[in-house]
Amino acid sequence: MADTAHRPEPRYGNRPTMKDVAARAGVGLKTVSRVVNGEPGVTPDTERRVQESIDALGFRRNDSARVLRKGRTASIGLVLEDLADPFYGPLNRAVEEVARAHGALLINGSSAEDPDREQELVLALCARRVDGLIVIPAGHDHRYLEPEIKAGVATVFVDRPAGRIEADAVLSDSFGGARSGVAHLIAHGHRRIGFIGDQPGIHTASERLRGYRTAMADADLAIHDAWVSLGTTASERVREAVLAMLGGPDPVTAIFAGNNRVTVTAVRVLAAHHRAVAFVGFDDIELADLLDPGVTVIAQDAATLGRTAAERLFQRLDGAAEAPSQVVLPTRLIARGSGEIPPSALR
């Protein structure tokens, strides 16, 4: 007979129902329904007791009409940063395929890099009784999710880790990828290398900046303040950063771009101004191999990110109870020409 004395309790259990709230508050189901739906006919004292039970149990109104007999809605939520970003297409598709294989529906939405919108969207999905969540976080404090997780909503973070809670996460090696990309430029003779990245509060942006700084330090190369530009990925901001780095008496001879949107704008600016510069971008972009020269990139596998996160989510839903873990997936350098131009060829 197997020893079950020390078997860990499942992290994600059954969610509380209106019946549980009624039992804890000592009232009938109809009373709970009235409170939940904001209907009249409940005394203030009774309403207070019901609300206290709701808060204590982490109960949320079931907005789905298709709750399966086993207590699940057969749906999961995916919160992305920006549905229009090409990076998230393969990730979304991979999550959808895993969900489909498990007989579940995927519901997704975009936070637009807004922490308040992220929280609003996540809690709306919870109100619709999704069984689990995959979140690309915009914020840095996810304690608002603790009642949902305790109430049974399995949650996995992808691309960036959760803030201020322990949760499963699946990430790309942003630090290592940026470090190798900048080292690649250094190996081709560059000493004045610029970095253009996303907003510094974003985990991936800060990790890629750290990789850039580490690669420069490994080669005993100084970094001038003018060589680093962080901010939004708006095209005008990136354009100004590129032109500033290429101007002045001591311009950079190479640029490392922190993500695909920065890369697209930078390549357009360089082409329009006929400025020869060595270039490596983080994230691959469409048609990068057809440009002249082809764009050298640090590629991450968005589909594998999504698939790994979704598989982890369904493991949790199936009862996996071990402590939350972080998976870091490798990146790879694809040399196509732009990152292999030596400084001597730029004169």
Side-chain angles (χ1 to χ4, degrees), residues 292-303:
D292 185 18
V295 182
T296 295
V297 298
I298 301 297
Q300 54 179 333
D301 191 337

Side-chain angles (χ1 to χ4, degrees), residues 176-194:
R179 184 179 185 180
S180 66
V182 176
H184 185 73
L185 291 167
I186 294 170
H188 283 81
H190 295 278
R191 300 295 178 264
R192 302 194 305 274
I193 303 171

Side-chain angles (χ1 to χ4, degrees), residues 187-238:
H188 283 81
H190 295 278
R191 300 295 178 264
R192 302 194 305 274
I193 303 171
F195 177 92
I196 305 176
D198 210 332
Q199 300 179 76
I202 298 174
H203 172 80
T204 48
S206 63
E207 283 294 283
R208 291 166 197 175
L209 175 61
R210 188 167 71 90
Y212 161 78
R213 292 190 180 280
T214 300
M216 296 291 277
D218 289 343
D220 294 322
L221 297 177
I223 300 174
H224 295 182
D225 290 343
W227 296 354
V228 176
S229 178
L230 300 176
T232 72
T233 57
S235 58
E236 187 56 31
R237 200 283 299 183
V238 175

Side-chain angles (χ1 to χ4, degrees), residues 15-192:
R15 284 178 291 200
T17 64
M18 288 178 61
K19 184 176 180 180
D20 297 325
V21 174
R24 192 180 194 282
V27 299
L29 279 173
K30 182 61 178 176
T31 300
V32 175
S33 177
R34 284 173 175 163
V35 172
V36 168
N37 292 295
E39 298 173 358
V42 182
T43 66
D45 180 65
T46 299
E47 182 177 357
R48 177 186 55 78
R49 285 190 291 118
V50 171
Q51 191 59 54
E52 286 176 352
S53 296
I54 288 171
D55 294 340
L57 294 172
F59 170 81
R60 287 200 173 271
R61 184 176 65 183
N62 183 358
D63 289 339
S64 173
R66 298 182 61 198
V67 179
L68 303 183
R69 286 194 299 270
K70 62 181 180 179
R72 293 186 183 177
T73 60
S75 63
I76 64 170
L78 172 60
V79 179
L80 301 164
E81 180 220 338
D82 183 359
L83 289 168
D85 188 331
F87 172 75
Y88 294 117
L91 189 153
N92 184 97
R93 179 62 181 271
V95 172
E96 186 175 23
E97 289 300 318
V98 174
R100 184 169 179 268
H102 285 81
L105 175 70
L106 176 66
I107 307 170
N108 60 29
S110 171
S111 70
E113 205 65 73
D114 181 342
D116 292 335
R117 183 167 170 175
E118 173 208 300
Q119 181 172 341
E120 179 184 352
L121 180 56
V122 165
L123 294 181
L125 289 167
C126 290
R128 283 158 178 75
R129 305 282 284 185
V130 294
D131 299 317
L133 291 166
I134 295 175
V135 180
I136 297 173
H140 304 284
D141 187 347
H142 293 92
R143 287 176 295 177
Y144 72 85
L145 258 171
E146 286 181 331
E148 311 300 335
I149 293 174
K150 289 178 181 177
V153 182
T155 306
V156 177
F157 288 79
V158 65
D159 192 45
R160 311 165 187 173
R164 306 187 72 177
I165 65 170
E166 294 293 323
D168 291 310
V170 181
L171 318 174
S172 288
D173 185 6
S174 287
F175 167 75
R179 184 179 185 180
S180 66
V182 176
H184 185 73
L185 291 167
I186 294 170
H188 283 81
H190 295 278
R191 300 295 178 264
R192 302 194 305 274

